[in-house]
Amino acid sequence: RPAARLGHPGPGRRVCVASLAPGASGRPHLGHKNVELVAVARGLVQVVTSGGPAVVREGEVVLADEALVEGWRNMGDGDALLFWIVRD
């Protein structure tokens, strides 16, 4: 489950961080129907959206402005770190 790092309970931006061991997967802890961004800080991650999957490397992002982010999976041999950023 991603851990909230920035933001507040009201409308605005929220940033959550998720750390994944090799082969591990996760998903957003809440349903979100607005703009979402997944930024990979370390590793190789498959980001699954309602529009289809994308493989994202360290330093790359996936912008989901029409699709929903459904989950992510570490495809690399080492730990992965990603940020899930949402805007209400």
Side-chain angles (χ1 to χ4, degrees), residues 38 40 44-57 60-63 71-73 75:
V38 177
V40 176
L44 179 67
V45 177
Q46 179 185 45
V47 178
V48 179
T49 71
S50 58
V55 176
V56 187
R57 296 182 187 328
E60 297 178 340
V61 301
V62 169
L63 174 64
W72 38 73
R73 181 170 61 100
M75 299 183 67

Side-chain angles (χ1 to χ4, degrees), residues 9-86:
R13 289 186 185 93
R14 291 181 187 80
V15 178
C16 299
V17 64
S19 180
L20 300 169
S25 61
R27 61 184 208 166
H29 63 288
L30 55 91
H32 192 265
K33 295 183 177 159
N34 211 327
V35 176
E36 301 175 77
L37 182 85
V38 177
V40 176
R42 181 175 61 233
L44 179 67
V45 177
Q46 179 185 45
V47 178
V48 179
T49 71
S50 58
V55 176
V56 187
R57 296 182 187 328
E58 185 174 317
E60 297 178 340
V61 301
V62 169
L63 174 64
D65 55 355
E66 295 182 17
L68 299 174
V69 174
E70 297 174 348
W72 38 73
R73 181 170 61 100
N74 183 352
M75 299 183 67
D77 294 331
D79 289 345
L81 180 70
L82 64 89
F83 293 93
W84 178 56
I85 305 162
V86 296

